[in-house]
Structure formats: C-alpha cells, structure tokens
Amino acid sequence: MNKKNILIASAIGVVLVLGGAGIALALSDIGDNDGPLSGETLDRASNAALAEVGPGTVTSAERNDDGGSAYDLEVRLENGTTVDVELNDAFDVVWVGDFDNDNSNNSSNNSSSAPSAATDTSAADQAASERASAEAAALAAIGSGRVTDFDRDDDWDHVYEVEVTLDNGSDRDVELDANFVVVRIDDVQQ
C-alpha cells in the first residue's frame, strides 16, 4: 500500500511540474509579439493596407513590437511593384513607402520623389515630406554632399537612415529620430 501511494504522489508531482512548465512557456510567449499575422488580424491588416494603396496582394504581414508601427505589411500591386505599409494598433495606416528604395543611381538630390508605387497621394505626399525632411537634416549635419540612399527603419533608437556621399567620394551614414534630429553619424552617438 505504501508503494502505491508513492507512485501516485510521484505521478501527481510529474503532472504538476509539466503543467507549471507549460504555463511558464505560455507566459513567456506573451511578451514576444513579433511574427507573421494570421486569422482575423491578418484580414484586418490586409484590408487596411489594400484600402490605402489600391488593388494588390499582401505578400508579407508581420506583427512588430520594436516601438514603431504595430504591423508591417508588404504589398505587390497589380502593376508588379512592391510597397511597404505600416499600421498602428487600430489598423490605421501610419506610413507607406519602399524600405528597400535605393537611389544610388541618382546624381542629384531629388528629395521630392515619392515612394514607389504609392497610389494614394496623401500617403505619398506624407512619405515624400518625411524623406525631404530627413534628407535636409542629414545634409545640414554633414555640411555638404548629396544624398545617395534613404531608408525608413524600425530600430528602437532611430526612424530614418540617410547616406550622404561627400565631394571626395566617401560616404557618411546619418541616423535620425522621428523628429528629424540626428542621433548618430557613422555609428558615433550625437
């Protein structure tokens, strides 16, 4: 009889330990909100993005907890171009543009160019305005040169990255916060 009680108590102990480990694992996943969207969240985010940029196909949709937008989507428009759309927690569009837009073949500082494939003029105008402000702040911090690359970033400490090529051919990387304040030039904190 004593052996039977020991086996039952051991079995209960194992169940409690495994149950506790499962709860701990579930709780550890609560804080990790990055990852692909699914279900109703994917539907709502996709509908909001397509309503903003026009007909197309959502090719990527992820949750973002890096302090910027809540959702990041990539949409391939009917004309074949790709546009990035950021949404807040309420599924409102907060940014439309092209994260991978490389203007290194531009020989002039064309700060008024709109993000590729943005069909909604208000979103395109906002993105162009943000780009122009970021480029102007970067050029002011460097002193002279021409902008050869612009990226919107989702790092915790900066929102924009602007590459400026100096007259001598060297490049300077300028990182700016959401208010277009320079936070870093060539990995040197400002």
Side-chain angles (χ1 to χ4, degrees), residues 18 22 31 53 61 71 92-93 113 125 130 139 141 143 153 166 173 176 182:
L18 291 176
V53 300
Y71 306 105
D92 297 322
V93 174
S113 65
D125 289 346
E130 287 178 2
L139 286 170
D153 203 342
L166 303 176
D173 295 319
L176 303 108
V182 174

Side-chain angles (χ1 to χ4, degrees), residues 64-69 72 86 99 152-161 175-178 183-184 187:
N64 179 8
D65 66 357
D66 293 337
S69 60
D72 296 333
E86 292 183 4
F99 285 123
R152 182 160 164 64
D153 203 342
D154 61 358
D155 287 351
W156 69 272
D157 64 341
H158 66 279
V159 177
Y160 306 102
E161 293 180 12
E175 297 173 356
L176 303 108
D177 67 13
V183 294
R184 188 174 295 115
D187 294 328

Side-chain angles (χ1 to χ4, degrees), residues 11-127:
I12 291 173
V14 168
V15 168
L16 289 175
V17 167
L18 291 176
I23 291 170
L25 181 60
L27 288 175
S28 71
D29 286 342
I30 290 174
D32 184 17
N33 289 331
D34 280 350
L37 300 181
S38 62
E40 182 183 341
T41 304
L42 174 61
D43 292 341
R44 289 184 67 190
S46 297
N47 290 338
L50 293 173
E52 181 73 19
V53 300
T57 303
V58 174
T59 58
S60 171
E62 296 181 345
R63 186 172 287 110
N64 179 8
D65 66 357
D66 293 337
S69 60
Y71 306 105
D72 296 333
L73 289 85
E74 182 178 275
V75 178
R76 181 174 314 280
L77 299 174
E78 288 182 342
N79 66 5
T81 59
T82 301
V83 64
D84 297 302
V85 180
E86 292 183 4
L87 308 172
N88 64 17
D89 287 325
F91 298 95
D92 297 322
V93 174
V94 295
W95 190 80
V96 176
D98 184 0
F99 285 123
D100 301 320
N101 190 11
D102 180 7
N103 293 322
S104 59
N105 60 353
N106 269 351
S107 60
S108 65
N109 178 13
N110 186 7
S111 60
S112 65
S113 65
S116 63
T119 57
D120 182 42
T121 57
S122 65
D125 289 346
Q126 179 182 357

Side-chain angles (χ1 to χ4, degrees), residues 163-184:
E163 181 181 88
V164 176
T165 300
L166 303 176
D167 294 335
N168 67 7
S170 65
D171 292 329
R172 305 289 305 269
D173 295 319
V174 181
E175 297 173 356
L176 303 108
D177 67 13
N179 296 316
F180 308 105
V181 174
V182 174
V183 294
R184 188 174 295 115

